[in-house]
């Protein structure tokens, strides 16, 4: 008889799970109108030091390593980089929206995320709570338009950032 392997403790899932479980190929979501949308994986970066993957004001001390991936919505209008910070202790704030300090956007060539960079993110969300993970997103447009102070953020773009951060945080910590 073959026994199933026990689930790794939450704090070790980032190391024990395959990349495809941490950053699935697709993540389901809803648009503000209630229509179904799918976020499609554009690429996954190798593990990185936290100071490389996150903007300086996004994290305090105690970050061990950062994992990042970029997703585009199924209409290829919006793009978002998701960063997972593996922390020494739980992080206590959540759900801030706006152009706050967050994960550094990550471009991937030959696809909807090829023009996504530091100047192109418009909004972001940071989620964390009872576990030793912080999940942050930086979201923008696939057309590469740069953010200008005072730019209006579409609710759908903000929702993209929130839905991705929440979905990946929940999957990692359940």
């Amino acid at each position: 008889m073959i026994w199933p392997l026990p689930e790794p403790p939450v704090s070790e899932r980032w190391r024990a799970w395959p990349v495809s479980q941490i950053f699935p190929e697709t993540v389901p979501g809803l648009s503000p109108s209630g229509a179904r949308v799918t976020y499609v994986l554009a690429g996954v970066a190798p593990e990185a030091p936290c100071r490389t993957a996150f903007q300086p004001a996004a994290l305090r001390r105690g970050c061990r390593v950062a994992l990042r991936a970029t997703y585009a919505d199924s209409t290829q209008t919006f793009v978002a980089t998701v960063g997972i910070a593996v922390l020494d202790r739980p992080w206590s704030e959540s759900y801030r929206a706006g152009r706050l300090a967050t994960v550094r956007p990550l471009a991937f060539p030959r696809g909807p995320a090829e023009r996504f960079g530091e100047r192109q993110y418009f909004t972001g969300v940071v989620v964390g709570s009872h576990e030793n993970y912080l999940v942050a997103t930086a979201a923008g447009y696939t057309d590469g338009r740069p953010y200008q102070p005072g730019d209006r953020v579409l609710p759908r773009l903000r929702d993209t950032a929130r839905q991705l951060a929440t979905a990946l945080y929940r999957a990692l910590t359940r």
Side-chain angles (χ1 to χ4, degrees):
M1 176 178 244
I2 298 175
W3 296 96
L5 293 174
E7 184 71 26
V10 172
S11 63
E12 293 300 315
R13 288 180 182 166
W14 71 276
R15 191 183 338 243
W17 281 1
V19 170
S20 62
Q21 194 167 353
I22 295 170
F23 296 117
E25 285 292 320
T26 60
V27 177
L30 292 174
S31 73
S33 67
R36 291 177 198 249
V37 65
T38 301
Y39 304 108
V40 180
L41 185 65
V44 177
E47 288 179 16
C50 297
R51 67 185 175 281
T52 301
F54 287 85
Q55 295 167 348
L59 293 173
R60 292 177 222 112
R61 280 192 246 157
C63 181
R64 290 192 269 162
V65 69
L67 314 171
R68 288 185 298 169
T70 298
Y71 287 84
D73 76 323
S74 49
T75 67
Q76 295 194 353
T77 304
F78 305 115
V79 64
T81 295
V82 180
I84 298 173
V86 180
L87 308 172
D88 291 334
R89 59 184 161 278
W91 194 77
S92 60
E93 299 176 39
S94 66
Y95 285 114
R96 296 184 310 179
R99 195 162 193 266
L100 69 143
T102 185
V103 64
R104 292 185 191 277
L106 190 61
F108 287 93
R110 295 177 298 282
E114 71 182 343
R115 293 185 282 178
F116 191 46
E118 199 75 31
R119 293 183 52 228
Q120 285 77 30
Y121 88 93
F122 278 65
T123 188
V125 173
V126 178
V127 176
S129 64
H130 310 336
E131 300 297 339
N132 293 11
Y133 298 106
L134 173 140
V135 178
T137 54
Y141 300 92
T142 58
D143 64 8
R145 75 183 81 163
Y147 171 80
Q148 301 291 325
D151 277 349
R152 191 171 150 288
V153 176
L154 292 176
R156 186 160 169 220
L157 181 57
R158 188 174 296 121
D159 287 346
T160 296
R162 182 184 47 77
Q163 287 178 34
L164 281 167
T166 302
L168 294 179
Y169 181 82
R170 284 183 182 157
L172 194 58
T173 61
R174 278 190 195 163

